[in-house]
Amino acid sequence: MESPAVLSAALSAVSPATPNLVSGKKSIVAYFSCTDNTKTVAEYIKESTASDIYRIQPSEPYTSADLDYNNLDSRTSRENRDATARPGISGSLPSLDGYEVVYLGYPIWHGQAPKIMYTFVESYDLSGKIIIPFCTSASSGIGASATNLQTVTR
């Protein structure tokens, strides 16, 4: 489970006591989560903002061995080293037509967004939409992950 400080910082960003700067805009929370930490935050944002929600599922599910960041040959380590890695997404992607705001959630892996998030953002034309990234991590902040995703977003 995420540390209380990281989780509470993420949750405070969408606190009902905070004025919603995107109030009245149709929104969706799109998130990827292997251990359900990001799912917890995504569901909170959904409830706090009356957004729709979509869970990004990999076409090949990640195993515990895949998530072993200490193993340089684990799937996550290999994907992190490969700038062109784009894991497949299971099922049909939702249409984002009509959504003005996309909350984009993911865990931090090796200091970055998982490569499946690149698959997701490269699958859409997100121009004109407000993108609000959020992440979960036991040890890292969002870092450059949002900026890096923005470089591949059209």
Side-chain angles (χ1 to χ4, degrees):
M1 184 65 180
E2 299 300 331
S3 72
V6 172
L7 197 52
S8 67
L11 296 178
S12 68
V14 293
S15 168
T18 305
N20 185 351
L21 300 177
V22 293
S23 180
K25 297 185 185 308
K26 187 171 180 185
S27 59
I28 187 169
V29 179
Y31 73 96
F32 170 68
S33 186
C34 282
T35 61
D36 288 346
N37 293 325
T38 306
K39 177 184 177 187
T40 300
V41 177
E43 289 175 344
Y44 181 86
I45 293 170
K46 173 196 180 298
E47 294 302 319
S48 298
T49 61
S51 297
D52 292 331
I53 195 163
Y54 170 72
R55 183 171 186 157
I56 300 165
Q57 297 275 18
S59 55
E60 180 184 335
Y62 288 87
T63 66
S64 295
D66 292 335
L67 299 173
D68 182 356
Y69 309 109
N70 296 315
N71 178 351
L72 295 177
D73 197 41
S74 72
R75 181 173 164 197
T76 57
S77 295
R78 288 190 318 270
E79 287 176 359
N80 184 61
R81 287 190 306 271
D82 182 356
T84 64
R86 297 297 185 269
I89 296 175
S90 180
S92 299
L93 292 173
S95 171
L96 296 183
D97 292 344
Y99 289 106
E100 299 170 88
V101 179
V102 179
Y103 294 93
L104 194 60
Y106 50 90
I108 293 293
W109 288 0
H110 298 283
Q112 294 298 324
K115 296 297 178 137
I116 196 167
M117 297 307 297
Y118 290 76
T119 306
F120 183 81
V121 299
E122 289 173 349
S123 298
Y124 293 99
D125 179 356
L126 297 172
S127 57
K129 298 189 186 307
I130 299 168
I131 309 300
I132 303 174
F134 66 95
C135 66
T136 57
S137 175
S139 62
S140 304
I142 201 165
S145 66
T147 304
N148 292 343
L149 282 174
Q150 185 178 17
T151 63
V152 299
T153 303
R154 49 186 170 105

